[in-house]
Structures are given as C-alpha cells and as structure tokens.
Amino acid sequence: MEHMMLLVTYRMLPGQRDAFLQEVAAAGILAKVQQEDGFERYDYYLSAADPDELLIVEEWDSEAQQQAHVNTDHMARLRAIKEKSMLLPPRCSALPKPTEHERIEKHPQPAGCGCFFQRRERNAQPLTPPSATPRTMNLDSSR
C-alpha cells in the first residue's frame, strides 16, 4: 500500500490534554517525527467542544514507513506519555489515497479553521502547508 493517512482520536484523562501536549513538545517528539523517512504530515487538532479529546492526522509515503515510525525510540517515549494521560485506547481510521481527481486541500472558509476535506477540482490552487501549531476544530458530528 502506498501513501497512508491515519486519523487517530485520543480520549484523554480529564484535564490532561494540555499537559500531554506540553510533555510531547518538551520531549521533542514532533521534531523527530518530521525527520523520519516517508513523513508527510503529523498534526494535532484540538476539539473546541471537548477539552479531553485530541485528533492526530498523520500522512506517510507508505505503510512500511509508517510501521517503521511506530517502532522508533521517540514513539516508545510517546507511548509512555500516553499511558499516563489517556483514558481509553486511541480510535484509528485509515483513509485511502485520493484518486487523481481528488485533492486534499485546506477549506477556504472560515479563515484559519484548519479543517481538511476532499474537493473534486482539477485546477485548485496549491495551498500553504499547515504549521505544526495545534489548531482548534469542532469534532462534534451533531452540528
């Protein structure tokens, strides 16, 4: 399987999301992930509706590279941090590679929302990649 995108939702212990993010940042885990072979994206998103939920969007050039990522020392460190911060095991979904007519692009409205969706436009303008800064988004599907 080439190109892999994962959506991973963490359910944190009450009030532990910010402490988790601070510990991950202090350990330099995100910088290490960004140096890995096959890395395309590894972004954290914060729920505006639930202060104990965290979404990670990861993209890798291949499943093999994502599996190599899972077995690194810094991911072992992340697992140790998660063990003391997470309430439940993460929920993970893998998305297929977009077809040639689909592009994953940043939603144009509202400005700075940080959400992503698939559009079926062949001539869409390229967008600036998102920063490594966590963004707030509403993960409540009832709205």
Side-chain angles (χ1 to χ4, degrees):
M1 171 187 213
E2 52 178 79
H3 187 269
M4 177 176 236
M5 176 186 258
L6 297 173
L7 304 177
V8 184
T9 304
Y10 290 167
R11 183 81 188 146
M12 310 305 290
L13 290 168
Q16 292 299 305
R17 185 179 71 185
D18 291 342
F20 168 81
L21 291 170
Q22 289 173 357
E23 191 167 352
V24 168
I29 291 170
L30 296 178
K32 292 173 184 172
V33 169
Q34 292 170 347
Q35 300 302 313
E36 292 181 52
D37 284 340
F39 164 83
E40 288 187 31
R41 178 171 161 200
Y42 193 92
D43 294 322
Y44 286 90
Y45 294 85
L46 310 179
S47 170
D50 186 345
D52 298 322
E53 190 169 72
L54 180 65
L55 173 70
I56 298 176
V57 177
E58 342 181 358
E59 283 188 79
W60 298 91
D61 287 337
S62 72
E63 184 176 358
Q65 289 167 318
Q66 192 275 337
Q67 287 300 307
H69 151 76
V70 170
N71 293 311
T72 61
D73 290 341
H74 51 275
M75 291 310 291
R77 174 73 178 119
L78 179 62
R79 284 188 290 278
I81 296 169
K82 287 191 295 188
E83 283 180 12
K84 62 183 180 181
S85 304
M86 286 179 53
L87 184 61
L88 301 170
R91 187 177 69 239
C92 185
S93 301
L95 300 180
K97 181 178 180 178
T99 66
E100 69 177 87
H101 298 292
E102 295 175 321
R103 294 178 56 152
I104 297 176
E105 296 184 354
K106 192 170 184 181
H107 188 286
Q109 297 291 332
C113 73
C115 64
F116 284 77
F117 71 106
Q118 292 185 354
R119 297 171 83 185
R120 294 181 185 264
E121 294 179 18
R122 295 194 90 180
N123 298 318
Q125 296 296 315
L127 298 164
T128 306
S131 69
T133 306
R135 294 167 206 70
T136 300
M137 66 183 283
N138 186 358
L139 298 176
D140 182 2
S141 62
S142 66
R143 294 184 186 196

